[in-house]
Amino acid sequence: LKYNFPLKFTKEHFNCSGSLTSMNLSTFNSIIRPVKNLQFRSGVIDYINFSFTAEDKHASGTMKFKYHDLKIDVLNNVNSKMGLNQKLKSMLANKFKLYESNPGSDGKIRISEINMNHNPYRFFLNYSMQSITSGIESTILKVKTKRK
């Protein structure tokens, strides 16, 4: 992870880039479970490369995220357990909402956009993590979500 904070700007402005290689997605369950109420059942990161510029109001950039064998579990809001309802939601999400791998069956790697509005009440590390998460979501989701 690399940050660059140019001193010529009077408002918040920084550049961030980074990479990650060969890791099980389940490693991130302790981070994603409380935020998204889901966990990675399986999946392997082959590599992630990203770069974005974050300004006072908005962050934008690109991400190349190659992965395979992605499966998630949708968890219960109350106690993070898997009941029948969560199992059905998980099955539907894995079948219809998520790409199991990147590249897909066509062999082409999807390059995703990092696109995040800044919450001015949160520190730059939160802004960075939300920005990176937006790139991951736009890579794995078949149905694009609107970001605040």
Side-chain angles (χ1 to χ4, degrees):
L1 191 61
K2 179 181 173 187
Y3 282 98
N4 180 352
F5 296 91
L7 298 176
K8 67 182 181 179
F9 293 97
T10 58
K11 294 187 176 193
E12 185 165 21
H13 184 102
F14 61 91
N15 301 305
C16 181
S17 61
S19 61
L20 186 66
T21 59
S22 192
M23 181 178 240
N24 285 325
L25 280 163
S26 62
T27 304
F28 296 100
N29 281 343
S30 62
I31 297 168
I32 198 165
R33 199 177 288 125
V35 176
K36 297 290 184 179
N37 216 31
L38 62 84
Q39 65 186 12
F40 295 109
R41 182 183 328 148
S42 66
V44 176
I45 296 171
D46 297 315
Y47 66 82
I48 297 176
N49 292 316
F50 65 88
S51 176
F52 66 91
T53 299
E55 297 176 338
D56 192 41
K57 305 239 184 245
H58 189 79
S60 61
T62 58
M63 175 179 284
K64 192 174 192 178
F65 177 19
K66 186 177 177 192
Y67 64 94
H68 62 277
D69 298 328
L70 174 66
K71 296 283 185 219
I72 64 159
D73 291 324
V74 177
L75 302 174
N76 182 315
N77 289 338
V78 178
N79 57 15
S80 295
K81 299 285 182 190
M82 286 281 297
L84 181 60
N85 192 27
Q86 284 69 39
K87 288 180 182 178
L88 181 60
K89 286 180 182 178
S90 298
M91 182 191 70
L92 292 172
N94 287 314
K95 183 72 174 166
F96 298 111
K97 287 190 167 190
L98 301 176
Y99 291 108
E100 186 177 355
S101 65
N102 187 22
S105 57
D106 63 0
K108 294 180 183 176
I109 294 180
R110 295 180 305 281
I111 309 263
S112 62
E113 288 185 25
I114 293 174
N115 188 8
M116 175 55 66
N117 289 336
H118 181 219
N119 177 348
Y121 302 105
R122 301 303 298 258
F123 193 54
F124 86 93
L125 288 175
N126 178 272
Y127 190 16
S128 297
M129 294 312 299
Q130 292 295 323
S131 299
I132 293 166
T133 300
S134 79
I136 292 170
E137 286 179 351
S138 69
T139 303
I140 68 173
L141 290 175
K142 291 179 182 178
V143 178
K144 304 303 176 203
T145 58
K146 297 208 180 213
R147 301 296 295 193
K148 296 184 207 175

